[in-house]
Amino acid sequence: DIGCIQGSIPGKQRKKRISPPALPGAFYFLLGVTITTFLFSTNLNAARTALLVLSVADPMAGIFGVAMGNIRLFGCACNCSWRRIIQAAGKLVQATESSDKDAFDEGATVAGSLACALAAILCSFVYIPSSGTSALSIPSRICVGIGCAIVEAISGRCISLRGCKFKVVDDNLLIPLVVSWMIDLL
């Protein structure tokens, strides 16, 4: 938040930061790539796949989330945000908008999450074989895609869970770590 505070010159106001600025996504991208490469240096296929997923699936979520939100069928929008679905279901977990408010940002959308999951599943076929000793089964690839979509949907947002509020770290940091860990585990 940037608030106006009276400056030392009468009649002039200058903008002074009240809170520190948020770090840019590029910083978290570089940090996520560095940590993933370091932690998964023994399983380079998992690290490579995670970095490919970050580079392809995360942008696809944003593109499809915005594009599908403008399409209407029978007078209803084809896309809905997870926030609205959770609020409608009356759950205890409620996602709220991040501090970077956008005019039409209601959080992650269902179409964006599906696009992210599908892109992550397809990316898993590039470096990881389908057969052999280091193979990854189709159900495991689907789990990786779903895990990536969940991380993308909640990252960078403020979450309230049973009265405790916290902000989830940026998806550019979490996606490669979670995807590498899931591939290594499965």
Side-chain angles (χ1 to χ4, degrees):
D1 293 344
I2 298 178
C4 289
I5 297 178
Q6 187 73 348
S8 59
I9 301 172
K12 290 247 181 185
Q13 288 189 357
R14 63 185 170 111
K15 292 183 178 178
K16 184 176 180 181
R17 292 191 187 275
I18 294 173
S19 62
L23 293 171
F27 171 78
Y28 289 108
F29 183 90
L30 182 60
L31 188 61
V33 167
T34 304
I35 293 172
T36 301
T37 305
F38 177 72
L39 289 178
F40 296 94
S41 60
T42 57
N43 189 351
L44 286 180
N45 285 340
R48 288 179 186 146
T49 301
L51 301 181
L52 182 63
V53 167
L54 176 62
S55 300
V56 174
D58 188 30
M60 293 303 282
I63 291 168
F64 276 85
V66 170
M68 294 300 291
N70 297 329
I71 298 173
R72 300 185 81 69
L73 288 176
F74 308 113
C76 298
C78 290
N79 197 9
C80 185
S81 69
W82 287 111
R83 177 182 178 190
R84 287 188 182 191
I85 292 171
I86 291 169
Q87 285 176 342
K91 298 290 182 185
L92 293 176
V93 180
Q94 183 179 6
T96 59
E97 290 182 21
S98 67
S99 60
D100 305 326
K101 289 187 180 177
D102 195 7
F104 36 82
D105 178 31
E106 289 196 23
T109 60
V110 175
S113 295
L114 291 174
C116 181
L118 182 62
I121 291 166
L122 293 175
C123 286
S124 72
F125 284 98
V126 175
Y127 293 114
I128 301 173
S130 297
S131 61
T133 57
S134 62
L136 197 61
S137 68
I138 299 295
S140 296
R141 293 174 196 270
I142 292 171
C143 287
V144 168
I146 292 170
C148 179
I150 290 170
V151 168
E152 194 277 327
I154 65 169
S155 295
R157 299 201 178 8
C158 292
I159 303 294
S160 176
L161 183 60
R162 297 186 185 217
C164 297
K165 288 188 176 186
F166 59 94
K167 184 170 181 170
V168 181
V169 179
D170 191 81
D171 59 348
N172 291 317
L173 175 61
L174 287 182
I175 286 175
L177 293 173
V178 169
V179 169
S180 294
W181 174 74
M182 288 182 77
I183 291 171
D184 204 40
L185 184 69
L186 298 172

